[in-house]
Amino acid sequence: MTVMIEAKNVTYQVGGRALIERIDLSIDSGALTIIVGPNGAGKSTLLRVLCGELAPTQGEVLFNHEPLRTIPAWRLAHRRAVMPQASELGFPFTAFEVASLGVEGIGQGLSRNDRQRMVIDALDQADVGHLARRNYQTLSGGERQRVHFARVLAQLAAGRTVEPRQVLFLDEPIASLDLKHQLALLNKAKSLAQGGLTVIAVLHDLQLAAEFGDGLVLLHSGRLVARGSADDVLSSNRLSEVFGVSLISPALPPNPWRLTA
Amino acid sequence: MIAAALEGEERSSLFRDRRPLLMLGLACLVVIVSLVAMSLGATGVPLSRVLGIITEQAAQPSGDALVILQVRLPRVMLGLLIGAALACSGALMQGLFRNPLADPGLVGVSAGAALAAAATIVVGDALLSPLIGPLPFTALPIGAFIGGLLTTFALYLVATRQGRTSIATMLLAGVAFGALSGALMGFLSYLSDDRQLRDLSFWSLGSLSGATWTKVAVATPLILPVLLVTPFLARGLNALALGEAEAFHLGVPVQRVKALAILLVAVAVGVSVACAGMIGFIGIVVPHVLRLSAGPDHRMLLPASSLLGAALLVAADTVARTIVAPAELPIGILTAIFGAPFFLWLLLRRQGGFSL
């Protein structure tokens, strides 16, 4: 495994307040890394800095050993996709058109048909193929989130024709999904990571984070508190310290549900 | 499995591209409306004669040839240009604001241009005329154009922090600029004499009656490039519909797209206001009708808005100048009478609130 993204002493400030502070972090390629932490810990900010959306106030991010700030937006779009928290849309685009935005202008040597096939594949993978013709504005929160998942999958598929080493950023991707689709999305992310994609996700559910993450990154008040395997990061001392909750058993219990999608 | 369900007919309807057909239809509409507009009026000229005059030009100089070539043709051409400019900048603004209710009037471009024109009429007359004699006719359009550009630029400065334009700030600032312009306009009309007042009111209602070949010659090289450049923003505006961050994620140079859109709108609206005064609601109605019938994709919407806007304004102008002939109605009144209720209807049928 090689390092795909490296944050060096990264600080991001707004109005003199540091949302994340002096973070050093390297993320391996081909792994599913999950960022956890309580509300306001700076999880989303870290994600937005790592994907190039926010320029760090101090420090530097290297993307595949290249300084992130020197990579123009259009090249970056071939190398990484970002799934946002559910978003509003002012115009009545269909789900298919929203997913198609992922392949427009991305990729090389792709015919119209190739792009359409990529969009259909992506819609199927996100289990929203049946909604393709529906107006996005009339979809539920969870359906919208899956449409955006399809959009980023399509973008990665198109970008892969130019840039094989890619990163997928997921910002609370399962927030409004039902149980079945939560597991389906995380399983998909996991299998993409096993296929060589670097996946970085922000999750709230520690149980799922522990189960799916190859590595966990724990943030607290803008600082990196711990990183490593779930067992290391989610010790009961830390959980009570960072989240203000105490666990009944000293170690995480084996997952009581063992759900499979 | 679902891909399989989308095979065949289902699938082809999903991707059916009606763009070429729509464009062709709209282009035909523009031609037909223009020809009919030239044949109607105080002196009726049969369609066949209109065609003859246009194609054979000065073959046989006659009364109706003069009417067509010197009066109606420049008026129709100016109407086409301004209708296209207004509708196209409406679509641009709506894409930029991610809100189908945005309009060039909303960001204060029209108001700024109107104020500058009013100032040219009243103040310019009082201060400059004694020095250099009566102001040349071109002073008014130039004033309006500069006013539109200055307002847009000021708005951009107010709403942009650290290279990012806040759409909400810009809309609200546009409201403030509009109110300020309105107040100053009122003050100017209080100052002005009877003749100036008549100029002011007629002009601020909007009319194509002052169309001349000179105006067409001024407007064409400014509006045509705007109409031709605009479609290149389509992909950026489509992505921008998801949000600015999402558009950036998709590789769109967001700041550049926004700056270019603002500049194009300023030019189009400034020139339109300068040549024909304030004509409202074309920028709201046209893109909306097209979205209803052919979807919100800007690759279709931008060029189609130009075409439909051109046809609609020429048609409206034909009604305005024939309905009370030999007098004529300011076209701004006509577009507002139909446009304002349409706008209200849009507001009422919107589910949920506004999002910026």
Side-chain angles (χ1 to χ4, degrees):
Chain A
M1 271 190 199
T2 55
V3 173
M4 189 67 197
I5 291 184
E6 198 173 1
K8 288 179 171 173
N9 197 26
V10 165
T11 297
Y12 181 79
Q13 288 182 331
V14 172
R17 210 175 83 83
L19 299 182
I20 51 173
E21 209 171 352
R22 293 208 292 277
I23 290 193
D24 283 295
L25 177 66
S26 64
I27 288 170
D28 291 331
S29 67
L32 170 54
T33 304
I34 296 181
I35 305 173
V36 294
N39 291 335
K43 303 184 294 295
S44 289
T45 306
L46 178 60
L47 196 83
R48 291 164 72 190
V49 167
L50 293 181
C51 78
E53 184 186 325
L54 300 176
T57 320
Q58 277 166 41
E60 180 174 48
V61 179
L62 297 180
F63 197 100
N64 201 8
H65 311 294
E66 242 181 286
L68 184 58
R69 66 189 149 72
T70 63
I71 308 175
W74 64 271
R75 267 184 64 199
L76 211 47
H78 289 79
R79 299 180 173 194
R80 62 98 179 88
V82 187
M83 178 176 163
Q85 299 183 23
S87 62
E88 285 289 322
L89 209 57
F91 303 112
F93 284 102
T94 63
F96 177 81
E97 286 170 326
V98 171
S100 299
L101 292 174
V103 297
E104 272 176 37
I106 308 277
Q108 216 171 40
L110 294 172
S111 70
R112 239 172 91 83
N113 271 332
D114 293 336
R115 291 180 198 276
Q116 285 178 352
R117 200 165 311 114
M118 284 172 174
V119 175
I120 293 184
D121 278 354
L123 286 167
D124 272 342
Q125 289 177 44
D127 194 21
V128 280
H130 60 293
L131 302 175
R133 235 163 316 185
R134 282 272 300 278
N135 175 354
Y136 174 90
Q137 293 171 319
T138 66
L139 298 179
S140 76
E143 289 168 334
R144 289 178 180 193
Q145 216 162 9
R146 277 147 58 203
V147 170
H148 283 296
F149 189 53
R151 174 171 64 81
V152 296
L153 291 179
Q155 184 184 347
L156 290 174
R160 208 167 293 134
T161 57
V162 177
E163 187 62 53
R165 284 168 65 83
Q166 295 180 311
V167 184
L168 172 59
F169 293 90
L170 304 167
D171 193 359
E172 297 189 26
I174 58 171
S176 40
L177 297 186
D178 58 37
L179 210 48
K180 174 187 160 196
H181 288 108
Q182 289 190 0
L183 293 172
L185 189 146
L186 289 173
N187 274 322
K188 180 72 197 166
K190 182 99 181 169
S191 74
L192 286 171
Q194 280 160 359
L197 185 73
T198 307
V199 186
I200 304 172
V202 170
L203 281 191
H204 264 301
D205 190 321
L206 297 179
Q207 194 91 48
L208 290 174
E211 179 162 348
F212 284 90
D214 293 317
L216 261 56
V217 174
L218 177 62
L219 294 186
H220 183 42
S221 307
R223 307 256 184 171
L224 193 149
V225 178
R227 81 149 304 174
S229 71
D231 289 342
D232 295 341
V233 171
L234 301 178
S235 71
S236 72
N237 281 350
R238 262 204 209 97
L239 285 179
S240 60
E241 204 177 293
V242 171
F243 289 92
V245 295
S246 46
L247 283 181
I248 295 159
S249 71
L252 276 178
N255 190 338
W257 297 322
R258 277 291 145 205
L259 293 166
T260 46
Chain B
M1 43 153 196
I2 289 151
L6 285 171
E7 287 302 329
E9 210 171 318
E10 287 261 303
R11 197 176 143 156
S12 73
S13 80
L14 187 60
F15 310 118
R16 186 172 50 207
D17 194 352
R18 286 169 302 187
R19 255 187 297 168
L21 208 61
L22 182 72
M23 294 299 160
L24 193 68
L26 287 173
C28 292
L29 184 69
V30 168
V31 173
I32 292 168
V33 166
S34 305
L35 289 176
V36 171
M38 278 188 276
S39 86
L40 294 177
T43 2
V45 180
L47 265 180
S48 54
R49 178 89 181 110
V50 170
L51 276 174
I53 290 169
I54 293 174
T55 47
E56 290 160 38
Q57 297 266 333
Q60 16 173 210
S62 62
D64 51 4
L66 211 63
V67 168
I68 296 292
L69 292 177
Q70 291 306 315
V71 181
R72 291 194 194 152
L73 188 55
R75 184 164 182 159
V76 164
M77 287 187 63
L78 196 67
L80 292 174
L81 282 169
I82 290 175
L86 290 176
C88 181
S89 39
L92 266 179
M93 285 274 88
Q94 288 147 26
L96 189 66
F97 286 161
R98 280 172 273 135
N99 189 323
L101 299 176
D103 182 73
L106 271 180
V107 292
V109 184
S110 309
L115 177 64
T120 313
I121 293 175
V122 179
V123 183
D125 244 16
L127 296 183
L128 293 176
S129 308
L131 300 176
I132 58 167
L135 286 180
F137 159 76
T138 43
L140 181 70
I142 292 171
F145 173 56
I146 293 173
L149 265 183
L150 284 181
T151 319
T152 314
F153 191 63
L155 273 167
Y156 193 73
L157 286 184
V158 169
T160 305
R161 291 272 181 282
Q162 292 163 351
R164 288 181 175 270
T165 309
S166 155
I167 297 303
T169 311
M170 189 164 173
L171 264 179
L172 293 173
V175 172
F177 273 80
L180 188 65
S181 304
L184 292 174
M185 279 273 269
F187 183 63
L188 283 177
S189 57
Y190 175 74
L191 286 182
S192 56
D193 59 38
D194 276 358
R195 186 187 58 79
Q196 291 170 337
L197 203 58
R198 219 173 26 250
D199 274 5
L200 271 185
S201 68
F202 188 74
W203 174 84
S204 65
L205 289 172
S207 170
L208 287 169
S209 63
T212 57
W213 280 116
T214 319
K215 280 190 180 177
V216 174
V218 171
T220 308
L222 289 167
I223 289 178
L224 215 52
V226 171
L227 301 180
L228 295 177
V229 168
T230 298
F232 289 101
L233 289 177
R235 183 188 160 242
L237 291 177
N238 278 344
L240 211 53
L242 296 172
E244 289 186 24
E246 286 77 3
F248 167 74
H249 297 152
L250 288 167
V252 172
V254 176
Q255 294 306 317
R256 235 183 300 162
V257 167
K258 289 199 294 187
L260 186 57
I262 289 171
L263 180 74
L264 292 175
V265 168
V267 173
V269 177
V271 173
S272 302
V273 170
C275 291
M278 292 207 280
I279 300 173
F281 297 102
I282 299 279
I284 285 268
V285 174
V286 169
H288 193 84
V289 167
L290 286 168
R291 260 189 230 106
L292 277 181
S293 58
D297 188 337
H298 287 90
R299 288 171 299 183
M300 175 282 302
L301 189 65
L302 293 169
S305 289
S306 298
L307 289 173
L308 186 58
L312 187 65
L313 192 65
V314 170
D317 182 53
T318 309
V319 173
R321 65 187 168 79
T322 50
I323 195 167
V324 289
E328 62 174 77
L329 215 56
I331 192 172
I333 293 180
L334 202 70
T335 57
I337 282 176
F338 290 101
F342 181 84
F343 185 69
L344 280 175
W345 172 75
L346 272 187
L347 284 176
L348 290 174
R349 73 186 279 279
R350 267 174 83 82
Q351 291 150 352
F354 293 82
S355 59
L356 287 176

